[in-house]
Amino acid sequence: MFVYQKKLQYPVRIRNTNPKLASVIISQYGGPDGELGAATRYLSQRYAAPWGQVKAGLTDIGTEELAHIEIVSAILYQLTKGLSIDEIKE
């Protein structure tokens, strides 16, 4: 059973905006090495797992990867907070 708490596992406190760093961090969303790809792989592999313990382990790992996406989202939000579209595009 999971309990959702409205706080990050690792708090993110970024004081200064930095669109260049955000463009690097955003690569952690997608792609073959991104958090979303990892979560999808773990959660889809659980359907082919032969034993219940393996399925449970893959589900837990996939869920943790989804939590990482939440942390990456918080980082990106704080790096681009208050910037205009033109500032982000630069």
Side-chain angles (χ1 to χ4, degrees):
M1 177 191 296
F2 294 96
V3 176
Y4 181 75
Q5 298 175 3
K6 290 193 174 222
K7 65 178 186 173
L8 292 176
Q9 184 177 5
Y10 301 102
V12 177
R13 293 183 190 95
I14 299 172
R15 292 181 179 90
N16 301 325
T17 59
N18 189 338
K20 288 188 179 188
L21 181 58
S23 69
V24 174
I25 299 292
I26 201 166
S27 67
Q28 288 303 307
Y29 265 130
D33 298 326
E35 299 294 337
L36 185 59
T40 304
R41 280 191 298 277
Y42 285 119
L43 293 173
S44 64
Q45 288 173 0
R46 68 179 293 275
Y47 292 105
W51 303 289
Q53 288 179 329
V54 175
K55 287 181 185 181
L58 290 170
T59 301
D60 290 346
I61 296 169
T63 304
E64 186 67 27
E65 294 296 331
L66 291 173
H68 295 165
I69 293 173
E70 190 175 21
I71 294 169
V72 170
S73 299
I75 292 169
L76 287 172
Y77 174 75
Q78 291 178 19
L79 285 173
T80 58
K81 185 177 181 180
L83 296 178
S84 68
I85 298 295
D86 294 330
E87 291 173 322
I88 294 172
K89 285 181 180 180
E90 284 180 13

